[in-house]
Structure formats: C-alpha cells, structure tokens
Amino acid sequence: MLNDVVKKYQKLNELAEQGGIVLFGCGDDLSIPLCEIKQSFSVDEQLYNRSVVDLSLADACEVYRQCIASLKPDTLFLHLGELDKKLFSDNPGTFSVLYTDLIKDIRQENPHCNISVVSLKNENNDESIVAMNKLLKDIATVNLCEFTDISHKTVWNPKSSMATSSFLHS
C-alpha cells in the first residue's frame, strides 16, 4: 500500500512546481481541503498535501525523500505522531530521535525550508497526548522550527488566522 502511495505522489510531483507549501501528515490529514484554504487565505504559493494515511515516524524519512524532497518546499508542515502514540508511551527517547532525525534529513536536503511541527489533536485532554505535544514543542524549539498547536478546538480568531497566513507567506 505504501508503495502505491509513493508512486502516486512521484507521478504528481512530475507535474508540480518546486517551492510552495507542503503538508506532510498522516491519518485524517489527507482529507484537508487545501484548495479551500488557498482561496480563503489568499495564499499565492502552491499547496501540496503529501500525507499518508498510515504513516509512522519509522517510515517518515524514506517517504519524505521519495515523495517530498523533489518539491523543495519553502514551507513544510509536519503533522506526524498519531500512529506513534505507543512508541511515545513506551520509549519517548526513540520517538524524539526519530522526529529529530526527520527534521535533520529535511534540513540537509532543503536547508532553507521553513518547518512547522504541528501538535496532535487532543479534544479530550488526554494526558499522554499533552505530554507528546509538549515534547513536539520542545523538538520544534531545539531544531529552530515553528510549532503549531491544534490540540484543542478554538473559536475562529482573526489574529491567529492572520499569523498563520503570515507564516505561510514567509
């Protein structure tokens, strides 16, 4: 299955422009309506979704190399970890190393890429996800990445939306 997704993205990349903004996530990220986001926020850059439904951190570096590196994104949103909750629970050190190695690989391949590490959703205030999101924020800080917190639903906030739009344009 993963090979089919990789082949599909490689074909799409033949048609895609380099640069722009890429969402690299897992799970529900595949269904994010990027066209609507592009229109609503007047984003001039290309938006690409290279999310993989069942992607774990163990496979993320290879998937990045095969599906995203050739795009040379200006901005990359990393929304990974949903499938790695058990890994985080059992061995947060390994989780941290895998995430950090992914960021290092991205920076080696594309040193000027703006990377934003995106938190996991946590609408039920699960303590293990709170801890995982704290670690994700620390990983982002140490690796000079932005951190985008989507852990809780919030009422639409124009200032926050403009900050996100500003980051997308930077």
Side-chain angles (χ1 to χ4, degrees):
M1 164 119 168
L2 186 57
N3 287 336
D4 293 339
V5 172
V6 167
K7 286 178 187 175
K8 177 182 89 171
Y9 284 151
Q10 287 172 335
K11 284 281 191 202
L12 286 171
N13 288 352
E14 291 173 12
L15 305 171
E17 296 177 24
Q18 288 187 343
I21 301 164
V22 175
L23 171 62
F24 184 33
C26 60
D28 294 337
D29 293 339
L30 200 54
S31 64
I32 292 175
L34 292 186
C35 290
E36 286 86 350
I37 291 171
K38 185 174 172 122
Q39 288 176 329
S40 296
F41 289 101
S42 300
V43 176
D44 294 329
E45 292 84 3
Q46 295 299 320
L47 282 176
Y48 301 108
N49 191 337
R50 294 299 182 261
S51 299
V52 178
V53 173
D54 293 323
L55 184 64
S56 70
L57 285 173
D59 297 321
C61 283
E62 189 60 31
V63 172
Y64 173 82
R65 283 188 210 108
Q66 292 183 21
C67 299
I68 299 171
S70 67
L71 292 173
K72 299 191 182 312
D74 297 324
T75 301
L76 180 69
F77 285 93
L78 288 177
H79 188 219
L80 301 170
E82 189 67 38
L83 294 176
D84 298 289
K85 292 175 188 172
K86 181 166 176 25
L87 171 64
F88 173 78
S89 175
D90 293 346
N91 195 338
T94 299
F95 177 91
S96 182
V97 166
L98 288 171
Y99 217 108
T100 300
D101 286 350
L102 173 61
I103 293 170
K104 287 179 182 177
D105 278 9
I106 293 165
R107 291 264 158 93
Q108 184 174 3
E109 191 78 35
N110 186 358
H112 302 291
C113 182
N114 295 310
I115 301 170
S116 180
V117 174
V118 180
S119 72
L120 297 185
K121 294 179 194 173
N122 191 12
E123 295 164 9
N124 297 323
N125 218 15
D126 181 309
E127 286 302 316
S128 65
I129 296 175
V130 169
M132 183 187 262
N133 284 340
K134 182 184 179 321
L135 179 59
L136 288 172
K137 185 174 184 177
D138 292 345
I139 290 169
T141 301
V142 166
N143 289 282
L144 305 175
C145 300
E146 297 285 329
F147 179 74
T148 303
D149 187 357
I150 64 164
S151 59
H152 294 90
K153 286 184 179 181
T154 57
V155 175
W156 182 69
N157 179 333
K159 287 183 181 180
S160 175
S161 296
M162 291 307 292
T164 300
S165 181
S166 173
F167 176 73
L168 292 173
H169 290 286
S170 67

Short mmCIF file of all heavy atoms in Angstrom, two decimals, residues 3-50:
data_model
loop_
_atom_site.label_atom_id
_atom_site.label_comp_id
_atom_site.label_asym_id
_atom_site.label_seq_id
_atom_site.Cartn_x
_atom_site.Cartn_y
_atom_site.Cartn_z
N ASN A 3 3.85 1.61 -1.08
CA ASN A 3 4.48 1.75 -2.40
C ASN A 3 3.54 2.40 -3.41
O ASN A 3 3.98 3.19 -4.25
CB ASN A 3 4.94 0.39 -2.92
CG ASN A 3 6.17 -0.10 -2.17
OD1 ASN A 3 6.92 0.69 -1.62
ND2 ASN A 3 6.35 -1.40 -2.15
N ASP A 4 2.25 2.07 -3.35
CA ASP A 4 1.28 2.67 -4.26
C ASP A 4 1.16 4.17 -4.02
O ASP A 4 1.07 4.96 -4.97
CB ASP A 4 -0.10 2.01 -4.10
CG ASP A 4 -0.11 0.56 -4.56
OD1 ASP A 4 0.77 0.17 -5.35
OD2 ASP A 4 -1.01 -0.18 -4.10
N VAL A 5 1.16 4.57 -2.75
CA VAL A 5 1.06 5.99 -2.41
C VAL A 5 2.31 6.73 -2.89
O VAL A 5 2.21 7.81 -3.48
CB VAL A 5 0.86 6.17 -0.88
CG1 VAL A 5 0.94 7.63 -0.49
CG2 VAL A 5 -0.46 5.57 -0.44
N VAL A 6 3.47 6.13 -2.66
CA VAL A 6 4.73 6.74 -3.10
C VAL A 6 4.71 6.94 -4.61
O VAL A 6 5.05 8.02 -5.12
CB VAL A 6 5.94 5.89 -2.65
CG1 VAL A 6 7.21 6.34 -3.35
CG2 VAL A 6 6.10 5.96 -1.13
N LYS A 7 4.31 5.92 -5.35
CA LYS A 7 4.27 6.02 -6.82
C LYS A 7 3.30 7.11 -7.26
O LYS A 7 3.58 7.87 -8.19
CB LYS A 7 3.87 4.68 -7.42
CG LYS A 7 4.97 3.64 -7.37
CD LYS A 7 4.50 2.32 -7.94
CE LYS A 7 5.57 1.25 -7.72
NZ LYS A 7 5.10 -0.07 -8.16
N LYS A 8 2.14 7.20 -6.59
CA LYS A 8 1.15 8.23 -6.93
C LYS A 8 1.75 9.63 -6.73
O LYS A 8 1.65 10.50 -7.60
CB LYS A 8 -0.11 8.07 -6.08
CG LYS A 8 -1.17 9.16 -6.32
CD LYS A 8 -2.37 8.99 -5.44
CE LYS A 8 -2.13 9.74 -4.17
NZ LYS A 8 -3.29 9.85 -3.29
N TYR A 9 2.40 9.84 -5.58
CA TYR A 9 2.98 11.15 -5.30
C TYR A 9 4.14 11.46 -6.24
O TYR A 9 4.32 12.61 -6.65
CB TYR A 9 3.42 11.25 -3.84
CG TYR A 9 2.27 11.43 -2.88
CD1 TYR A 9 2.37 10.96 -1.58
CD2 TYR A 9 1.10 12.07 -3.24
CE1 TYR A 9 1.32 11.13 -0.67
CE2 TYR A 9 0.05 12.23 -2.35
CZ TYR A 9 0.17 11.76 -1.07
OH TYR A 9 -0.86 11.94 -0.18
N GLN A 10 4.92 10.48 -6.59
CA GLN A 10 6.01 10.71 -7.53
C GLN A 10 5.47 11.16 -8.89
O GLN A 10 6.03 12.05 -9.52
CB GLN A 10 6.88 9.46 -7.67
CG GLN A 10 7.74 9.22 -6.44
CD GLN A 10 8.48 7.89 -6.46
OE1 GLN A 10 8.07 6.93 -7.11
NE2 GLN A 10 9.58 7.84 -5.72
N LYS A 11 4.37 10.56 -9.33
CA LYS A 11 3.73 10.98 -10.59
C LYS A 11 3.21 12.42 -10.47
O LYS A 11 3.39 13.22 -11.39
CB LYS A 11 2.58 10.04 -10.95
CG LYS A 11 3.02 8.73 -11.52
CD LYS A 11 3.40 8.92 -12.96
CE LYS A 11 3.57 7.57 -13.61
NZ LYS A 11 4.39 7.66 -14.80
N LEU A 12 2.54 12.71 -9.37
CA LEU A 12 2.04 14.07 -9.16
C LEU A 12 3.18 15.08 -9.12
O LEU A 12 3.04 16.20 -9.64
CB LEU A 12 1.23 14.14 -7.86
CG LEU A 12 -0.15 13.50 -7.88
CD1 LEU A 12 -0.74 13.46 -6.48
CD2 LEU A 12 -1.08 14.22 -8.84
N ASN A 13 4.30 14.71 -8.53
CA ASN A 13 5.44 15.62 -8.42
C ASN A 13 6.02 15.97 -9.79
O ASN A 13 6.63 17.03 -9.95
CB ASN A 13 6.52 15.04 -7.52
CG ASN A 13 6.11 15.05 -6.06
OD1 ASN A 13 5.08 15.61 -5.70
ND2 ASN A 13 6.89 14.40 -5.23
N GLU A 14 5.83 15.09 -10.77
CA GLU A 14 6.30 15.40 -12.12
C GLU A 14 5.55 16.60 -12.69
O GLU A 14 6.08 17.32 -13.53
CB GLU A 14 6.11 14.19 -13.04
CG GLU A 14 7.03 13.03 -12.71
CD GLU A 14 6.71 11.77 -13.51
OE1 GLU A 14 5.92 11.86 -14.49
OE2 GLU A 14 7.24 10.70 -13.17
N LEU A 15 4.34 16.83 -12.23
CA LEU A 15 3.52 17.94 -12.70
C LEU A 15 3.62 19.17 -11.79
O LEU A 15 3.21 20.26 -12.18
CB LEU A 15 2.05 17.51 -12.77
CG LEU A 15 1.75 16.27 -13.61
CD1 LEU A 15 0.31 15.84 -13.42
CD2 LEU A 15 2.05 16.53 -15.07
N ALA A 16 4.11 18.97 -10.58
CA ALA A 16 4.12 20.02 -9.56
C ALA A 16 5.26 21.00 -9.77
O ALA A 16 6.29 20.68 -10.37
CB ALA A 16 4.21 19.40 -8.17
N GLU A 17 5.07 22.20 -9.24
CA GLU A 17 6.12 23.21 -9.22
C GLU A 17 6.92 23.06 -7.93
O GLU A 17 6.36 22.71 -6.89
CB GLU A 17 5.51 24.61 -9.25
CG GLU A 17 4.75 24.92 -10.50
CD GLU A 17 4.10 26.30 -10.45
OE1 GLU A 17 4.57 27.16 -9.68
OE2 GLU A 17 3.10 26.49 -11.16
N GLN A 18 8.21 23.36 -7.99
CA GLN A 18 9.02 23.35 -6.77
C GLN A 18 8.68 24.56 -5.93
O GLN A 18 8.16 25.56 -6.42
CB GLN A 18 10.50 23.33 -7.11
CG GLN A 18 10.97 22.02 -7.67
CD GLN A 18 12.48 21.97 -7.83
OE1 GLN A 18 13.16 22.99 -7.83
NE2 GLN A 18 13.00 20.77 -7.96
N GLY A 19 9.00 24.44 -4.64
CA GLY A 19 8.70 25.53 -3.70
C GLY A 19 7.31 25.32 -3.13
O GLY A 19 6.78 24.22 -3.10
N GLY A 20 6.73 26.38 -2.67
CA GLY A 20 5.38 26.29 -2.14
C GLY A 20 5.32 25.71 -0.74
O GLY A 20 6.31 25.69 0.00
N ILE A 21 4.15 25.22 -0.41
CA ILE A 21 3.86 24.75 0.94
C ILE A 21 3.40 23.30 0.85
O ILE A 21 2.55 22.97 0.03
CB ILE A 21 2.75 25.61 1.57
CG1 ILE A 21 3.18 27.08 1.62
CG2 ILE A 21 2.38 25.09 2.97
CD1 ILE A 21 2.04 28.05 1.86
N VAL A 22 3.96 22.46 1.71
CA VAL A 22 3.61 21.04 1.72
C VAL A 22 3.13 20.65 3.11
O VAL A 22 3.77 20.98 4.11
CB VAL A 22 4.80 20.15 1.30
CG1 VAL A 22 4.45 18.67 1.42
CG2 VAL A 22 5.23 20.47 -0.13
N LEU A 23 2.03 19.93 3.15
CA LEU A 23 1.54 19.29 4.37
C LEU A 23 1.99 17.85 4.33
O LEU A 23 1.67 17.12 3.39
CB LEU A 23 0.02 19.37 4.46
CG LEU A 23 -0.62 18.57 5.59
CD1 LEU A 23 -0.15 19.05 6.95
CD2 LEU A 23 -2.14 18.64 5.49
N PHE A 24 2.75 17.44 5.34
CA PHE A 24 3.23 16.07 5.45
C PHE A 24 2.70 15.51 6.75
O PHE A 24 3.20 15.80 7.82
CB PHE A 24 4.76 16.06 5.43
CG PHE A 24 5.40 14.70 5.43
CD1 PHE A 24 4.81 13.61 4.80
CD2 PHE A 24 6.62 14.51 6.04
CE1 PHE A 24 5.42 12.36 4.79
CE2 PHE A 24 7.24 13.28 6.03
CZ PHE A 24 6.65 12.20 5.41
N GLY A 25 1.60 14.76 6.65
CA GLY A 25 0.96 14.24 7.84
C GLY A 25 0.51 12.82 7.65
O GLY A 25 0.95 12.11 6.75
N CYS A 26 -0.37 12.43 8.52
CA CYS A 26 -0.91 11.07 8.48
C CYS A 26 -2.39 11.12 8.86
O CYS A 26 -2.92 12.18 9.15
CB CYS A 26 -0.14 10.15 9.43
SG CYS A 26 -0.18 10.65 11.15
N GLY A 27 -3.04 9.99 8.84
CA GLY A 27 -4.43 9.91 9.27
C GLY A 27 -5.35 10.80 8.46
O GLY A 27 -5.35 10.77 7.23
N ASP A 28 -6.10 11.64 9.15
CA ASP A 28 -7.11 12.49 8.53
C ASP A 28 -6.54 13.63 7.70
O ASP A 28 -7.28 14.31 6.99
CB ASP A 28 -8.03 13.09 9.60
CG ASP A 28 -8.87 12.04 10.30
OD1 ASP A 28 -9.07 10.96 9.71
OD2 ASP A 28 -9.33 12.31 11.42
N ASP A 29 -5.23 13.86 7.76
CA ASP A 29 -4.64 14.99 7.04
C ASP A 29 -4.86 14.89 5.54
O ASP A 29 -4.89 15.91 4.85
CB ASP A 29 -3.13 15.09 7.32
CG ASP A 29 -2.85 15.46 8.75
OD1 ASP A 29 -3.75 16.03 9.41
OD2 ASP A 29 -1.73 15.20 9.22
N LEU A 30 -5.02 13.69 5.05
CA LEU A 30 -5.23 13.50 3.62
C LEU A 30 -6.50 14.19 3.13
O LEU A 30 -6.58 14.60 1.98
CB LEU A 30 -5.30 12.00 3.32
CG LEU A 30 -5.04 11.57 1.88
CD1 LEU A 30 -3.70 12.10 1.39
CD2 LEU A 30 -5.05 10.06 1.78
N SER A 31 -7.46 14.38 4.01
CA SER A 31 -8.74 14.97 3.61
C SER A 31 -8.82 16.48 3.85
O SER A 31 -9.88 17.07 3.65
CB SER A 31 -9.89 14.27 4.32
OG SER A 31 -9.79 14.49 5.71
N ILE A 32 -7.72 17.11 4.24
CA ILE A 32 -7.75 18.57 4.46
C ILE A 32 -7.97 19.27 3.12
O ILE A 32 -7.24 19.00 2.15
CB ILE A 32 -6.45 19.04 5.14
CG1 ILE A 32 -6.40 18.50 6.57
CG2 ILE A 32 -6.35 20.57 5.12
CD1 ILE A 32 -5.14 18.79 7.32
N PRO A 33 -8.93 20.16 3.04
CA PRO A 33 -9.27 20.81 1.77
C PRO A 33 -8.31 21.97 1.44
O PRO A 33 -8.62 23.14 1.67
CB PRO A 33 -10.69 21.31 2.02
CG PRO A 33 -10.72 21.58 3.48
CD PRO A 33 -9.83 20.55 4.11
N LEU A 34 -7.17 21.65 0.87
CA LEU A 34 -6.15 22.67 0.61
C LEU A 34 -6.62 23.74 -0.38
O LEU A 34 -6.24 24.90 -0.23
CB LEU A 34 -4.86 22.02 0.11
CG LEU A 34 -4.12 21.16 1.13
CD1 LEU A 34 -2.79 20.69 0.55
CD2 LEU A 34 -3.89 21.89 2.44
N CYS A 35 -7.43 23.37 -1.35
CA CYS A 35 -7.92 24.38 -2.31
C CYS A 35 -8.73 25.45 -1.59
O CYS A 35 -8.58 26.65 -1.87
CB CYS A 35 -8.74 23.73 -3.40
SG CYS A 35 -7.75 22.74 -4.52
N GLU A 36 -9.58 25.02 -0.66
CA GLU A 36 -10.39 25.99 0.09
C GLU A 36 -9.51 26.86 0.98
O GLU A 36 -9.74 28.06 1.11
CB GLU A 36 -11.45 25.27 0.94
CG GLU A 36 -12.59 24.71 0.12
CD GLU A 36 -12.31 23.32 -0.45
OE1 GLU A 36 -11.15 22.85 -0.39
OE2 GLU A 36 -13.23 22.71 -0.99
N ILE A 37 -8.50 26.27 1.58
CA ILE A 37 -7.57 27.05 2.41
C ILE A 37 -6.85 28.08 1.55
O ILE A 37 -6.72 29.24 1.93
CB ILE A 37 -6.58 26.11 3.14
CG1 ILE A 37 -7.33 25.29 4.19
CG2 ILE A 37 -5.43 26.90 3.75
CD1 ILE A 37 -6.51 24.19 4.82
N LYS A 38 -6.39 27.64 0.40
CA LYS A 38 -5.67 28.54 -0.51
C LYS A 38 -6.55 29.73 -0.88
O LYS A 38 -6.10 30.87 -0.87
CB LYS A 38 -5.24 27.76 -1.75
CG LYS A 38 -4.41 28.56 -2.71
CD LYS A 38 -3.88 27.69 -3.83
CE LYS A 38 -3.22 28.55 -4.86
NZ LYS A 38 -1.86 28.22 -5.10
N GLN A 39 -7.82 29.47 -1.17
CA GLN A 39 -8.73 30.55 -1.54
C GLN A 39 -9.08 31.44 -0.34
O GLN A 39 -9.04 32.66 -0.45
CB GLN A 39 -10.02 29.98 -2.12
CG GLN A 39 -9.85 29.40 -3.50
CD GLN A 39 -11.13 28.76 -4.01
OE1 GLN A 39 -11.92 28.24 -3.24
NE2 GLN A 39 -11.32 28.79 -5.32
N SER A 40 -9.39 30.83 0.78
CA SER A 40 -9.83 31.59 1.96
C SER A 40 -8.75 32.53 2.48
O SER A 40 -9.05 33.61 2.98
CB SER A 40 -10.27 30.65 3.07
OG SER A 40 -11.40 29.92 2.67
N PHE A 41 -7.49 32.09 2.42
CA PHE A 41 -6.41 32.89 2.96
C PHE A 41 -5.60 33.60 1.88
O PHE A 41 -4.55 34.16 2.15
CB PHE A 41 -5.48 32.03 3.83
CG PHE A 41 -6.12 31.61 5.12
CD1 PHE A 41 -6.65 30.34 5.26
CD2 PHE A 41 -6.22 32.48 6.19
CE1 PHE A 41 -7.25 29.94 6.45
CE2 PHE A 41 -6.81 32.10 7.38
CZ PHE A 41 -7.33 30.83 7.51
N SER A 42 -6.09 33.53 0.65
CA SER A 42 -5.41 34.18 -0.49
C SER A 42 -3.93 33.80 -0.54
O SER A 42 -3.05 34.64 -0.66
CB SER A 42 -5.55 35.70 -0.41
OG SER A 42 -6.90 36.06 -0.44
N VAL A 43 -3.67 32.51 -0.44
CA VAL A 43 -2.30 32.01 -0.49
C VAL A 43 -1.87 31.94 -1.95
O VAL A 43 -2.53 31.29 -2.76
CB VAL A 43 -2.20 30.61 0.18
CG1 VAL A 43 -0.81 30.04 0.06
CG2 VAL A 43 -2.62 30.70 1.64
N ASP A 44 -0.80 32.63 -2.28
CA ASP A 44 -0.31 32.65 -3.66
C ASP A 44 0.55 31.44 -3.99
O ASP A 44 0.66 31.06 -5.15
CB ASP A 44 0.50 33.93 -3.91
CG ASP A 44 -0.36 35.18 -3.82
OD1 ASP A 44 -1.55 35.10 -4.14
OD2 ASP A 44 0.18 36.22 -3.41
N GLU A 45 1.20 30.87 -2.98
CA GLU A 45 2.09 29.75 -3.20
C GLU A 45 1.28 28.48 -3.52
O GLU A 45 0.12 28.36 -3.17
CB GLU A 45 2.96 29.48 -1.95
CG GLU A 45 3.97 30.56 -1.66
CD GLU A 45 3.39 31.71 -0.87
OE1 GLU A 45 2.19 31.62 -0.49
OE2 GLU A 45 4.09 32.69 -0.65
N GLN A 46 1.96 27.54 -4.14
CA GLN A 46 1.35 26.24 -4.39
C GLN A 46 1.18 25.52 -3.06
O GLN A 46 2.05 25.62 -2.18
CB GLN A 46 2.22 25.41 -5.34
CG GLN A 46 2.33 25.98 -6.72
CD GLN A 46 0.98 26.07 -7.40
OE1 GLN A 46 0.14 25.19 -7.29
NE2 GLN A 46 0.75 27.17 -8.11
N LEU A 47 0.10 24.79 -2.91
CA LEU A 47 -0.16 23.98 -1.72
C LEU A 47 -0.24 22.52 -2.15
O LEU A 47 -1.00 22.19 -3.07
CB LEU A 47 -1.49 24.36 -1.07
CG LEU A 47 -1.54 25.61 -0.22
CD1 LEU A 47 -2.98 25.86 0.24
CD2 LEU A 47 -0.65 25.50 0.98
N TYR A 48 0.55 21.67 -1.48
CA TYR A 48 0.54 20.25 -1.80
C TYR A 48 0.32 19.44 -0.52
O TYR A 48 0.92 19.74 0.51
CB TYR A 48 1.86 19.81 -2.44
CG TYR A 48 2.18 20.56 -3.71
CD1 TYR A 48 3.20 21.50 -3.74
CD2 TYR A 48 1.46 20.31 -4.88
CE1 TYR A 48 3.49 22.19 -4.91
CE2 TYR A 48 1.75 20.99 -6.04
CZ TYR A 48 2.77 21.93 -6.06
OH TYR A 48 3.07 22.61 -7.21
N ASN A 49 -0.51 18.44 -0.62
CA ASN A 49 -0.73 17.53 0.50
C ASN A 49 -0.04 16.21 0.17
O ASN A 49 -0.45 15.52 -0.76
CB ASN A 49 -2.22 17.31 0.75
CG ASN A 49 -2.49 16.61 2.05
OD1 ASN A 49 -1.63 15.92 2.59
ND2 ASN A 49 -3.69 16.77 2.56
N ARG A 50 0.99 15.89 0.91
CA ARG A 50 1.72 14.64 0.71
C ARG A 50 1.60 13.78 1.97
O ARG A 50 2.53 13.14 2.41
CB ARG A 50 3.18 14.90 0.36
CG ARG A 50 3.38 15.59 -0.99
CD ARG A 50 2.83 14.76 -2.13
NE ARG A 50 3.03 15.35 -3.44
CZ ARG A 50 2.11 16.04 -4.11
NH1 ARG A 50 0.92 16.26 -3.57
NH2 ARG A 50 2.36 16.52 -5.30
#
